[in-house]
Amino acid sequence: MKYYTKITMRFLLLQLIVFVIMFAYLFFVNFVPVVSCSYSFLDLKEIGSVIFLPSFCVSFLNSSLISLFLYGFLIVDHEHSCLFSVKIIPFFISLLFFILFFCLWHPNIENSSVHYKGNDARFFVDSGAFFQYYGEPKNRFSQDDFERILSNVGKKDKELLLKSYHQDRVNGDFLLNKEMFSVDRFLLRKCLSLNNETENIKMFFGRVEKYYVYDVVISLPDKVLSFEKLAVAFNSYKEMDLLVPFGEEIKTFPFEKKQNALFSNSRYAFATALIYKNNEMILPFFNMYPLVSIGLWMVITLMILTFSGWIYIKEYPLISVLFNFLLLIAFYLCVPPVLEWYHTIVRNFASESFVKLRYIIFFFVASGSLFVINIVRWLSYKKNKKI
Amino acid sequence: MADKKDDTLAIDTYKAFFKILFFGLVLSFLAALFAYVKNKIHVDFFNTYLTYKTIYNFSAHFTIFVYFFLFCFYSLFFKKKYLLDYKGHRRSFYQITSCGFNLIILSLFFYFFVLEVVLPFSKEQCADIVTKCRLSEELLDKAEKLYEEGNNKSSSLYRQIANKKEALRIYENYGRLVSANRYVNERIGDLRTDLYRIEYLARKKSDIPEELTTYEELADYFYSKEDYFSAWFYYLSVEKGPQAQKQLARKRIEDIKQKIKYQNSLYTDEELNLYMDKQTRKIQDLYTRLQKGEQLLNKGDYLSAYYVYNDIYNENTNIRDALNGSTKSLDYLQKNAVDIEEVEIARSYAGKENFMMFCNDNVVMKIGVLRKAINVDLLVEQYFFFDTQLCYRDTAQNITKIVYIPYAKVRKDNLLLLCYDKNDRENIYSPVIEKISKSEMTSLLKKVSENVKADLFSYYELKDGFYELRSKDKSTIRELSKLTRKNKLLDNDGVEIISVEKMTKKLQNLSNEAKNEVLAFYEQKGNNYVLFSKDLNVLSELSKVAKKYNLWDNELRENLLSFPYDMSVLYRLAYDYESAEDFSLFKLLDLRRFYDGFGEFDTGLSHSFIGAAIACKLSKIFIFFYICCILLCMFFKLRVTEYNSWYLIILPFVLIALYVVVMLINLFVTTFFNVLGSVFSLRSVFIAAIGIHFVLSFLIVCYTMSTEVDDE
């Protein structure tokens, strides 16, 4: 019993540490730029809903998953690692946390992004610097043009372009997909802009406020414009539109969130993908009914506990650590697409009754198999001990 | 014997370190080899490209190799005998790892060197090679086309010659970029012989002996050579000059006249008189033109002087004054203006489009294309600006005036704006006004006469309260720039000539020392102060002083704009963080220093990410140290108790895991400092970085010190 109390306390401490680090980082990264822009912005309610809540959600759920992972080989020692009871404790603790999290305070997170929310120009643009504006991608490319661009770009951009455009069956032209991830939209714009397929535009903002930008310079290919103050608006794509008067008509220049620009840094592409997966990992829990979310949470935590304990060999601590680390990465990279595939396959090929029950079937199949694995392991452990 | 035993650990550590580094070098080489694209890189550059790419790969992943060494030595291949010293006592942790820590410190210094020098340099070289290869391909294509057109017999001879000349120039440029193959060399030979044959007859050569210096000697020389026309001119100069031998000169002129008469004895008297009159007038005209050239030269109008002298020289190659004058003025022009030939050569180099920056608070500069060309004679990089626009803004940030600069070149902290053609006096470009507000136009028109007003209006049309240039084609720009230069429309009064009254008004608020500093540049001529020299160095000195005391807000002068930026930095700096990261710390700080000279806005080149980049670069070195310490302790604690050869399978996984860890840490550091850098000033970011690293270093050192050798 003493041992169980010890590991429980250790698990709670571990989760707290991971949570504090993640939350501090996320909160800092999101909070500092907003406050620094203007001190009048310090509206506690807004900060709560815009920064605190999403940061809390992401860091809380991720810290639970990561601490469960670490628990398997960092806290539990080898002799107890096969015991079923050892795994049940953190499983129920995290489940309890998750249910409390949902019941007490059901966060209504939309599926586009868990980070920055709210409409404020400061989330979208920096001030005091000239920057390259990545113009809007064309809605339509003729087949020849599209093939020419494809031949000029690298492998990754090629994939992105093929993902973003679909071919019109009537005349063979390529049309822009309407539904796209915001990061993909940003990357597409950057890619097209670097290949000179959009206008070369540079901009400068002297100062940025919530709904206005001041001291603006816009350099278009044929002319330079300068304004003291311009207004911004926010559209349905969660983008910011800069409204620029051209004589009598008003032209809009859409902007992506700054956060997307960071993700497009090619040098850390893999690392950024991992972080982005961090968000993707969390999204499935918000897209469904609370009960389904809880079921999904149970399956995933059970999976983590099972696998992390599996690769634990006392004689080779180094290899255990290494492979657990790689497994964690693989887990973060693989779970969201696997879930996505499951949904698509079920939707396309299964019968209607199966679609209705798809969550329940998934839950029973996955948790059942994991349960069996654990039982078998436990039994073999017991048998070995007797011998 | 005892010493030998004691040394095994140290020797093994160093051996392992260098083995791993060698392994890293081989790995980098292999990566470079597999990344080599056959069609993209010219064969000539194969070795250089491979070398630089290997160096780049190795230095970019240097940290990972060091971590890998720590893993291999302290974890995987750690031998039990290392735990005991030669007396059989147990060693403490620091005794075992002291060599490892030595290596960490050494690699820390090396890493700093890599970040500062090796990485930026090798990356630049690789990019240069790729650019050169692409350029060479384009040049060859262009040259081939021109060669074919040049051999097209149906086009006019003039066209053929022009095409051949151009083709030759491009082939030669190609030869400079990549060592030309036999085929290209043959083409160059063909074209040269062709052109030489055509131009041979037109070529004139003057061969006056060097030792002749005075007019009398020259006159005597040409007299003895029976070139009576040149001799006549020189005797005339002797006669008009202050020399003592006027009598002899007059006599010799008479003699020459007689001899010319004798040479043309077939003429009738009347014809002869006419001919003599014509010759006399020609000589007089030559003399007055030379005088005019001298005047222009003294006045500082080198451009006009050059054409005057050049005309005289083309008519008569034996006039040494003309040659001297044209050389002198050309020398000045080469230093203070842009030759159109250079511009044409620069066109074939790769460049950056649409470059924006602030010149000062209210002037925005937009460079259409910024090209980096290499001067083959001097082996220096030169930067050319094409289609530059200077946008002047008022306090409400509305554009009041746009000045269009067709061609410009950077030289010694200045931008040379005047572009001349050695052979064509009409082909001159200088800044013109592209767009101007109505109120500015009225104040401008006050300066000029009625005729000029009418001329000016023919170039502009009124649109939304602005006068805009009707068309921007080359001939219009040429004509308008002539008009602008003639009437000094863009000149800021007071830089070259200023009345005493105005000057005293300007200087009234300054101290005596400052007054003397400014007036040192001028000499008083009548009612005006005149700049004592138009030399580039003098002008840049003056602009510094003017900036110091805030004398002229407008920096633009007839053919000069002060441009105090390090072009090698500016050219490579793009508008995002990604490229700033490859800069050396020194250059980043240098770039930051530029900004201090300006007011509220800096040059607009994204100062926020420069601060972040500086902090990141510093942090990378610290972080390298932390990770080394932590990994050393961790790997040592988790070391393999009994080595098995199948452990080798995990080596690639270790590399992948280390790579991911390094990337994640870099990403977090980048984000952290990007946020800090975009919010606080550079100094605050610096202090924050130093504070954080101080605390972290302390913790890491404590952790390292607390590590013990566990029982086995």
Side-chain angles (χ1 to χ4, degrees), chain A residues 25 202 215 220 226 316, chain B residues 354 366 397 578 601 647 668:
Chain A
Y25 189 81
K202 293 224 160 62
D215 185 22
L220 298 166
S226 178
Y316 318 118
Chain B
N354 207 353
K366 176 182 175 176
Q397 267 87 43
E578 234 173 306
F601 298 122
Y647 279 172
F668 280 119

Side-chain angles (χ1 to χ4, degrees), chain A residues 166-190:
Chain A
H166 64 273
Q167 198 167 16
D168 191 347
R169 283 176 196 168
V170 183
N171 51 11
D173 283 2
F174 281 84
L175 303 174
L176 186 66
N177 292 346
K178 275 178 188 166
E179 282 179 14
M180 275 172 79
F181 277 118
S182 53
V183 171
D184 282 349
R185 278 178 72 87
F186 178 81
L187 289 176
L188 178 68
R189 284 157 63 160
K190 192 176 176 187

Side-chain angles (χ1 to χ4, degrees), chain B residues 72-88:
Chain B
C72 286
F73 189 73
Y74 287 104
S75 209
L76 197 61
F77 302 113
F78 194 81
K79 290 173 188 161
K80 272 187 182 169
K81 65 174 182 183
Y82 295 149
L83 292 173
L84 304 172
D85 64 8
Y86 66 98
K87 281 178 186 165

Side-chain angles (χ1 to χ4, degrees), chain B residues 514-563:
Chain B
K515 270 181 200 171
N516 289 336
E517 205 175 331
V518 176
L519 288 176
F521 289 95
Y522 292 90
E523 50 192 353
Q524 202 170 354
K525 276 186 186 170
N527 261 342
N528 289 328
Y529 280 115
V530 180
L531 204 63
F532 72 80
S533 162
K534 272 191 175 181
D535 195 60
L536 203 62
N537 295 335
V538 177
L539 281 172
S540 35
E541 282 295 312
L542 177 67
S543 68
K544 271 179 205 165
V545 174
K547 200 173 226 172
K548 197 165 144 194
Y549 300 117
N550 213 1
L551 290 178
W552 296 283
D553 348 310
N554 185 342
E555 281 288 314
L556 185 73
R557 287 189 297 277
E558 183 188 3
N559 51 15
L560 212 61
L561 181 74
S562 103
F563 199 74

Side-chain angles (χ1 to χ4, degrees), chain B residues 414-435:
Chain B
N414 282 300
L415 212 53
L416 310 179
L417 311 176
L418 183 73
C419 178
Y420 68 97
D421 189 341
K422 265 188 267 185
N423 308 317
D424 185 1
R425 69 177 64 198
E426 293 303 317
N427 203 12
I428 299 170
Y429 299 91
S430 65
V432 296
I433 296 168
E434 187 187 328
K435 189 177 171 183

Side-chain angles (χ1 to χ4, degrees), chain B residues 404 432-434 458-461 463 468-480:
Chain B
Y404 175 72
V432 296
I433 296 168
E434 187 187 328
S458 69
Y459 290 106
Y460 294 95
E461 58 187 344
K463 242 190 222 173
E468 274 183 48
L469 212 57
R470 275 180 212 275
S471 82
K472 254 167 94 173
D473 59 67
K474 276 187 173 180
S475 58
T476 321
I477 299 290
R478 273 201 298 256
E479 284 160 26
L480 188 60

Side-chain angles (χ1 to χ4, degrees), chain B residues 235-468:
Chain B
Y235 281 124
L236 192 71
S237 306
V238 174
E239 194 200 333
K240 295 213 173 173
Q243 279 91 339
Q245 297 168 319
K246 282 185 183 179
Q247 287 292 334
L248 182 73
R250 247 173 244 152
K251 201 187 151 222
R252 277 285 161 87
I253 289 172
E254 289 306 314
D255 284 358
I256 287 167
K257 279 180 184 170
Q258 288 299 325
K259 284 199 172 166
I260 290 173
K261 272 179 194 167
Y262 182 70
Q263 273 178 351
N264 301 303
S265 53
L266 289 174
Y267 286 172
T268 59
D269 280 357
E270 208 173 311
E271 277 173 344
L272 200 62
N273 282 339
L274 266 173
Y275 179 74
M276 285 313 290
D277 275 358
K278 203 176 152 194
Q279 288 294 331
T280 322
R281 239 182 290 131
K282 214 171 162 185
I283 290 286
Q284 284 290 347
D285 181 46
L286 203 63
Y287 190 77
T288 44
R289 269 158 71 195
L290 268 179
Q291 295 277 318
K292 193 187 160 196
E294 209 176 323
Q295 273 173 14
L296 285 169
L297 214 57
N298 288 337
K299 223 170 90 183
D301 190 351
Y302 289 90
L303 194 64
S304 314
Y306 170 73
Y307 290 120
V308 169
Y309 280 125
N310 206 32
D311 283 354
I312 299 168
Y313 182 70
N314 284 342
E315 279 166 29
N316 192 336
T317 48
N318 291 334
I319 309 293
R320 186 181 267 185
D321 280 15
L323 183 63
N324 286 346
S326 82
T327 328
K328 198 178 165 190
S329 46
L330 190 64
D331 215 36
Y332 176 87
L333 283 177
Q334 273 170 352
K335 281 177 190 161
N336 294 282
V338 197
D339 190 345
I340 199 131
E341 270 181 30
E342 284 179 304
V343 173
E344 290 303 324
I345 291 172
R347 252 186 226 283
S348 59
Y349 283 87
K352 290 199 168 182
E353 283 177 18
N354 207 353
F355 204 89
M356 293 286 293
M357 61 185 288
F358 275 102
C359 274
N360 61 37
D361 286 6
N362 289 321
V363 184
V364 185
M365 183 186 254
K366 176 182 175 176
I367 304 163
V369 189
L370 170 59
R371 291 184 201 275
K372 181 171 89 171
I374 293 158
N375 186 329
V376 189
D377 305 331
L378 303 171
L379 284 177
V380 285
E381 288 170 354
Q382 288 179 330
Y383 294 90
F384 290 89
F385 293 16
F386 293 78
D387 300 328
T388 312
Q389 285 171 313
L390 286 178
C391 309
Y392 291 82
R393 307 189 302 169
D394 60 9
T395 43
Q397 267 87 43
N398 292 319
I399 287 173
T400 53
K401 187 166 79 175
I402 296 180
V403 173
Y404 175 72
I405 303 162
Y407 307 109
K409 179 184 158 187
V410 182
R411 193 184 148 85
K412 275 186 189 169
D413 294 350
N414 282 300
L415 212 53
L416 310 179
L417 311 176
L418 183 73
C419 178
Y420 68 97
D421 189 341
K422 265 188 267 185
N423 308 317
D424 185 1
R425 69 177 64 198
E426 293 303 317
N427 203 12
I428 299 170
Y429 299 91
S430 65
V432 296
I433 296 168
E434 187 187 328
K435 189 177 171 183
I436 188 164
S437 70
K438 240 178 165 177
S439 54
E440 285 271 317
M441 190 65 155
T442 31
S443 62
L444 187 73
L445 289 177
K446 277 176 199 163
K447 279 197 220 169
V448 296
S449 66
E450 285 297 321
N451 292 341
V452 180
K453 266 182 204 173
D455 270 1
L456 260 181
F457 279 123
S458 69
Y459 290 106
Y460 294 95
E461 58 187 344
L462 195 60
K463 242 190 222 173
D464 310 327
F466 280 96
Y467 285 99
E468 274 183 48

